[in-house]
Amino acid sequence: MNKSFVLGVDIGATWVRVAIADYSGNITTKDKEPIDTSSNWGVSNQIEKTTRKLCQRLDYDPKNLSGIGIASAGPMNRKEGKLVSPSNIPLEEVPLADPLEKSFDTKVELINDGVSAVLAESEYGAGVDYDNLVYITISTGIGGGVIMDDHLLIGKNGNAAEVGHFTIDEEGKLKCGCGRRGHWEAYCSGSNIPRFVRKKLEDVDLKGQNSPLVENKRKDFQDFRPRDLFEYAKQGDELALDLVEEIGRLNAVGFATVTEAYDPELITVGGGVALNNPELILEPIKEKISNYTQNEVPRIKITPLKEENVLYGAIARALTLFKNQDQR
Ligand SMILES: [Zn+2]
């Protein structure tokens, strides 16, 4: 019986997902927990505990794990295996590789979640037949991963393709989570769409309009969520549709910049905002992208791997670690 496994971990803003997979990349068992941000060591402790629990389920000695791949939002110092002031986690530093290497006596590699997702797309998803592939997530934040000429881009610190921090507004009307102004993510990500709507409607006289956004403006957009905007648009509210269209135009600027930089054949799209509103997010991008890029427009589609793409990428990376060990 093949008793050899690797571990994949996806650290998100809300959840930590941990999965044990076999050498073909099939998940054998998995679990997810709300992220522990009580201290710098909270996340690594949590991964260790969950891993021991999953191994117990399989009656498997965790010391036999053949590699651990961890994917997380950045920024990170990949060589030191830690997150450094991550934009979605309220901690200054999150050490990951060292404590887990010590606990399980195996190689650990930390990669950016966008990098992980594009790797998953290439190994198991819509990108299997492509050498030039970009993945873009439109979620709490906006991130990306790039494979060019069949080569995974990683970068000096592991932060290649941080596309959400492309500057799309030279006037810098809105401030990004990273502290800088005018970044794509500050306008079109899940956490910032409410601020974008508030800004757009700031000086607009809504008198006489019967849009549900009038009431939201009266309450200064308290408790207003991106899903409310998309829900109003789906119900045919004109004002909401205009705002969704404007978000689509800004997304098209972002996708066009990605197309200029990497000349991909395919861009796959994931993340909660896109997965929950595939037409309202993708259609305006497809319609407007050629206004902003001179390069041939790539195919654009939703990732078939849905919300598990980052986890599958982490598993693929752990398998690479194992295979490299094997060759030594
Ligand atoms: Zn930024």
Side-chain angles (χ1 to χ4, degrees):
M1 186 180 158
N2 185 356
K3 292 274 272 178
S4 301
F5 296 109
V6 295
L7 191 77
V9 181
D10 168 14
I11 301 173
T14 319
W15 297 99
V16 174
R17 295 168 202 263
V18 181
I20 291 180
D22 65 21
Y23 284 178
S24 308
N26 300 310
I27 292 178
T28 310
T29 180
K30 63 179 175 178
D31 211 344
K32 67 170 185 177
E33 284 186 8
I35 187 166
D36 177 359
T37 56
S38 60
S39 80
N40 287 358
W41 301 94
V43 182
S44 61
N45 282 338
Q46 169 171 45
I47 294 169
E48 185 184 337
K49 264 189 232 156
T50 310
T51 304
R52 292 195 188 284
K53 190 172 76 183
L54 293 180
C55 285
Q56 216 164 27
R57 263 186 217 165
L58 298 173
D59 196 20
Y60 182 70
D61 182 353
K63 293 250 185 246
N64 291 335
L65 284 167
S66 305
I68 301 179
I70 305 177
S72 171
M76 62 183 57
N77 184 324
R78 199 170 150 266
K79 284 181 207 100
E80 292 182 16
K82 62 187 182 187
L83 307 180
V84 184
S85 304
S87 41
N88 293 328
I89 303 170
L91 292 171
E92 268 177 33
E93 200 178 281
V94 182
L96 294 162
D98 273 355
L100 292 167
E101 249 165 30
K102 278 192 192 109
S103 299
F104 298 117
D105 192 26
T106 188
K107 281 240 165 233
V108 180
E109 189 175 10
L110 175 63
I111 54 172
N112 179 286
D113 54 0
V115 172
S116 183
V118 79
L119 183 60
E121 202 74 273
S122 164
E123 294 277 332
Y124 314 112
V128 172
D129 297 327
Y130 294 90
D131 287 342
N132 294 282
L133 171 71
V134 175
Y135 169 80
I136 294 177
T137 176
I138 305 178
S139 174
T140 315
I142 292 178
V146 176
I147 289 175
M148 271 175 88
D149 302 323
D150 204 21
H151 182 78
L152 181 68
L153 301 192
I154 292 177
K156 66 186 187 303
N157 290 322
N159 301 319
E162 280 283 9
V163 300
H165 305 277
F166 280 173
T167 303
I168 59 157
D169 171 15
E170 81 285 3
E171 290 179 29
K173 289 184 279 296
L174 290 175
K175 195 170 171 183
C176 185
C178 75
R180 290 155 192 88
R181 292 195 161 269
H183 288 178
W184 179 11
E185 178 174 306
Y187 296 71
C188 303
S189 73
S191 59
N192 288 315
I193 285 174
R195 293 170 62 232
F196 173 73
V197 169
R198 185 167 177 260
K199 182 80 190 162
K200 286 302 274 188
L201 298 181
E202 202 171 53
D203 300 321
V204 181
D205 183 5
L206 297 179
K207 219 182 278 171
Q209 297 226 32
N210 62 1
S211 165
L213 286 160
V214 177
E215 178 62 10
N216 282 289
K217 187 181 175 187
R218 200 184 60 75
K219 289 198 252 167
D220 200 26
F221 294 98
Q222 260 185 355
D223 304 324
F224 179 71
R225 302 159 303 175
R227 75 172 72 147
D228 298 324
L229 178 70
F230 291 105
E231 202 44 52
Y232 301 154
K234 282 172 195 163
Q235 288 161 10
D237 180 66
E238 289 292 333
L239 187 56
L241 281 165
D242 285 352
L243 288 161
V244 165
E245 190 78 10
E246 180 60 10
I247 289 168
R249 191 185 70 78
L250 294 172
N251 279 332
V253 173
F255 275 62
T257 310
V258 163
T259 303
E260 289 297 307
Y262 307 117
D263 195 13
E265 298 158 87
L266 170 71
I267 300 178
T268 59
V269 190
V273 175
L275 293 176
N276 291 328
N277 310 287
E279 282 89 30
L280 289 173
I281 290 292
L282 255 52
E283 290 313 313
I285 296 172
K286 288 183 187 170
E287 203 186 294
K288 298 174 204 302
I289 184 171
S290 61
N291 297 343
Y292 302 102
T293 179
Q294 59 159 4
N295 276 353
E296 186 188 342
V297 172
R299 288 162 176 263
I300 299 172
K301 54 154 83 171
I302 292 286
T303 173
L305 300 172
K306 306 290 176 187
E307 57 280 317
E308 292 215 310
N309 51 6
V310 176
L311 190 57
Y312 272 106
I315 290 166
R317 205 63 194 173
L319 285 168
T320 309
L321 288 175
F322 158 67
K323 282 169 195 156
N324 290 345
Q325 262 168 10
D326 221 29
Q327 282 162 10
R328 254 178 243 141

